[in-house]
Amino acid sequence: MKIHMTSVFVDDQAKAEHFYTEILGFRKKHDIPLGEGARWLTVVSSEEPGGTELLLEPAGHPAVKPYRDALVGDGIPLAQFAVDDVRAEYERLTALGVRFTQEPVEMGPVTTAVLDDTCGNLIQLATEPKETAAG
């Protein structure tokens, strides 16, 4: 079993498409009109085009707003993306105007930072130590 797709709820799919592709650097994988302005809109990592898809799902369901508001209010990220170097991504994205709610912090062997995706979610970036041949 493997994870094929996961999702984040977004307030505005066009705005999310711009942020996730033009700012974060993902590639659009599927963009299928579903009627009434909604789209089946997925992105993938440009480093793994055949990898896990992220569905940018409209946040219209009544349960979504209180759920996301509670997470954001407590500073809890909705998703985590792996990057090679959190500090380098922090610098690159800050220069592009991205707002971080947590600057890079080392947590044992992992470095994390948290950004606002401008679509109603907090997203955590993480760099884990490289595995060595010794383990």
Side-chain angles (χ1 to χ4, degrees), residues 17-18 22 24 27 54 63 70 75 77 80 87 98 101 110 112 120:
E17 178 182 2
H18 171 77
E22 301 301 320
L24 294 184
R27 287 186 191 170
L54 179 66
Q80 182 185 80
R87 293 185 188 285
V98 174
T101 61
V110 179
T112 66

Side-chain angles (χ1 to χ4, degrees), residues 47-48 81-86 89 108-111 126-135:
E47 299 169 13
E48 290 183 350
F81 302 147
V83 296
D84 289 336
D85 183 338
V86 165
E89 282 298 311
V110 179
T111 304
T127 299
E128 296 184 15
K130 301 286 185 206
E131 290 187 29
T132 63

Side-chain angles (χ1 to χ4, degrees), residues 25-27 44-49:
F26 289 100
R27 287 186 191 170
V44 293
S45 168
S46 58
E47 299 169 13
E48 290 183 350

Side-chain angles (χ1 to χ4, degrees), residues 22-116:
E22 301 301 320
I23 304 297
L24 294 184
F26 289 100
R27 287 186 191 170
K28 185 165 50 176
K29 177 97 176 198
H30 295 287
D31 188 359
I32 303 167
L34 298 176
E36 299 181 19
R39 302 151 56 194
W40 184 262
L41 178 60
T42 68
V43 296
V44 293
S45 168
S46 58
E47 299 169 13
E48 290 183 350
T52 304
E53 294 180 50
L54 179 66
L55 174 64
L56 304 177
E57 188 164 4
H61 190 281
V64 173
K65 182 172 177 21
Y67 170 68
R68 289 191 316 164
D69 287 350
L71 291 177
V72 171
D74 288 342
I76 299 172
L78 184 65
Q80 182 185 80
F81 302 147
V83 296
D84 289 336
D85 183 338
V86 165
R87 293 185 188 285
E89 282 298 311
Y90 173 83
E91 296 299 328
R92 181 183 78 82
L93 294 171
T94 299
L96 292 173
V98 174
R99 185 178 75 85
F100 278 78
T101 61
Q102 176 201 302
E103 294 182 5
V105 172
E106 292 182 19
M107 306 169 112
V110 179
T111 304
T112 66
V114 177
L115 62 87
D116 177 346

